[in-house]
Amino acid sequence: MTHPMITFLKTPMAAPETSRLRHMRRWWTGLCWGLALAVLLLPLSKALLGEWGAVPALLLVLAAPVHGLFYFRSKSLADEVCRGESQS
């Protein structure tokens, strides 16, 4: 008979990352980095493009959370499936 804490420690806390989830995570990370870069370069892009200089940052502000929603939902579902299999 093993102690429940030992059983808990042996249980995986997250699902193994599939290639699809890894691809989604990398895209989400890239969108976040792109947004940070777009915000840092906003004065330069506004000087070069005028009023349209904020469009890249605006697009990234919209794209990063939308993609993040899909990624975190997929990751959560994969974790739930993994937990269900490990408890059986």
Side-chain angles (χ1 to χ4, degrees), residues 21-68:
L21 283 174
R22 182 173 45 254
H23 185 75
M24 289 179 75
R25 177 180 50 84
R26 288 180 177 164
W27 266 102
W28 182 71
T29 304
L31 287 170
C32 291
W33 277 107
L35 177 58
L37 187 62
V39 169
L40 288 173
L41 296 177
L42 193 57
L44 178 63
S45 65
K46 285 195 56 106
L48 292 174
L49 303 172
E51 293 180 2
W52 293 98
V55 171
L58 175 65
L59 293 175
L60 289 167
V61 160
L62 298 173
V66 169
H67 184 74

